[in-house]
Amino acid sequence: MSHWYPWKTPLVLASLSPRRRSLLEGIGVTMIVRPSGVVENDLHGAPGEVVEGWALRKASAVASEYPENPVLGADTMVF
């Protein structure tokens, strides 16, 4: 089965989430898993803003190491 993949370089997943990795692998995304080390301790603001900020910080922390690759930072919060 071939998969559609729009990038010529692997996606960098700035997360250790097994679920995110599984979802991406399930659609055939070639990736490098590189956790960011960002500590998720800032809870000031609306939940959506908080997780958006965490995701951006994760992606930004990893992006400088992989300037030629697309980088995905993501987060989830249940409230």
Side-chain angles (χ1 to χ4, degrees):
M1 173 179 190
S2 73
H3 296 281
W4 177 79
Y5 187 66
W7 303 285
K8 293 180 181 174
T9 58
L11 173 80
V12 179
L13 176 60
S15 170
L16 278 176
S17 167
R19 181 67 179 143
R20 285 189 189 91
R21 183 178 184 163
S22 174
L23 287 168
L24 292 168
E25 287 173 339
I27 60 170
V29 174
T30 302
M31 79 187 98
I32 298 166
V33 177
R34 172 61 172 84
S36 67
V38 168
V39 178
E40 302 165 351
N41 59 2
D42 179 13
L43 294 173
H44 297 86
E49 293 170 351
V50 171
V51 294
E52 186 177 323
W54 288 344
L56 181 58
R57 288 199 330 252
K58 289 176 181 182
S60 296
V62 172
S64 62
E65 297 176 39
Y66 299 90
E68 301 298 318
N69 300 69
V71 178
L72 174 62
D75 218 303
T76 305
M77 177 185 287
V78 178
F79 72 103

